[in-house]
Structure formats: C-alpha cells, structure tokens
Amino acid sequence: QPQVSRDSLRPPSTKTWLWDVIQRVRFIVYHKMPLMDEIRILVDWSTSQTSLDLYQQFKLEDMHTSLFLTRHYMDQRKMMFKAEARWMEPRWFVFFLNEQFYMGGLIIVAIVLLIIAPMFVFSDFSPLRVPTPIETGRIDLHLYMIQAVRLPGHGTD
C-alpha cells in the first residue's frame, strides 16, 4: 500500500531548521498574494469529486492552512529553544524576560489604558483639564421675511 504523508497537499517537512523557514516563508508569500489561494481553491473544488459545497471547501482549506502554519511554528519552536528551559532558572527576573509577560500582561495594560485614558483626560474631574472662562460673547440674529408663492389651483384665490 502506498504511503500517504500526514499533509497530503503540501510536502512533508524535512526537519531542518533552514528548510522549514524557507518552506514557511514561501507558503506565507503565496498565501498573502491577492486571490491566489482563492483561485486555487476554486480550481480544486471544480475539478475534484467532492460532496462539499464551495463555502465548506473554503472553510476546509482555511482550517488546513491554520493547521499547516501551526505545525510549522511548533516545529520551528522545538528546534530553536526548549520551552522547559525558560522556567528552570531560579532568578526572579526570569518572569520579566518571559514572552507571556510582554505579550499578555503588558498588552492588557495597554488596552486598559487605551480605554481609561480618554475618560481620564476629558472628564470634568481630570487634573489635566484647565477651565477656560468665557469673557465675551456676541449673538447676531437676522430675520428675513420671504413672500409666499401661491400656485394656481392650490389654496384660496
């Protein structure tokens, strides 16, 4: 029986760091080209015998793409550094060097500041707000009277 790779639409990874990076970058460039992926999906769907409709085919390809990229991210991550090694060091500043601190904690702080800062700056209770008293004012009121136009047959004559 012929061997089927776990990724039948794309060649299996050779498990070398450089080739994986090249393959992933090549796929990302192809995937980011406008309408390229959609045309391939349309051609695949119209020439294959499938029970999926077009919407389902697009969803299937989107899931396949996500899994493909995730697999390559995880393979690259396994080759470059070990996840366990980050937590083995007993120093206190390991927490601050952790990507979870920057990508999770600081982003949450930035989002909260983005929401709270405008309310703080523009509220009446803000110490940054300087009252601007009105010293003078002027109003001009012009009234004009326009003669009404009566159409024949409408209204009283």
Side-chain angles (χ1 to χ4, degrees), residues 27-77:
F27 177 75
I28 290 173
V29 167
Y30 156 76
H31 193 263
K32 296 297 179 190
M33 292 172 73
L35 299 176
M36 213 49 180
D37 203 34
E38 288 79 5
I39 291 171
R40 184 190 60 81
I41 293 170
L42 277 171
V43 168
D44 286 350
W45 180 73
S46 24
T47 58
S48 65
Q49 294 179 354
T50 180
S51 61
L52 302 176
D53 62 3
L54 186 58
Y55 177 75
Q56 291 171 337
Q57 186 75 21
F58 271 104
K59 293 311 272 178
L60 178 70
E61 290 292 334
D62 184 46
M63 288 184 282
H64 188 271
T65 299
S66 296
L67 289 173
F68 176 77
L69 289 175
T70 302
R71 187 187 74 202
H72 279 276
Y73 290 145
M74 296 311 288
D75 287 345
Q76 181 182 2
R77 192 175 165 131

Side-chain angles (χ1 to χ4, degrees), residues 79-98:
M79 282 190 268
M80 291 181 67
F81 54 89
K82 303 291 184 213
E84 303 85 27
R86 293 184 294 172
W87 296 102
M88 295 296 181
E89 299 178 30
R91 292 176 276 168
W92 63 271
F93 61 89
V94 171
F95 175 73
F96 296 106
L97 297 176
N98 190 350

Side-chain angles (χ1 to χ4, degrees), residues 11-27:
S13 174
T14 58
K15 300 299 179 195
T16 62
W17 180 81
L18 183 60
W19 180 250
D20 277 349
V21 170
I22 290 170
Q23 188 177 11
R24 187 175 46 124
V25 168
R26 186 181 62 165
F27 177 75

Side-chain angles (χ1 to χ4, degrees), residues 112-132:
V112 168
L113 284 177
L114 241 138
I115 293 171
I116 300 288
M119 291 189 291
F120 178 72
V121 170
F122 297 115
S123 73
D124 289 336
F125 303 108
S126 172
L128 302 173
R129 187 166 181 210
V130 177
T132 319

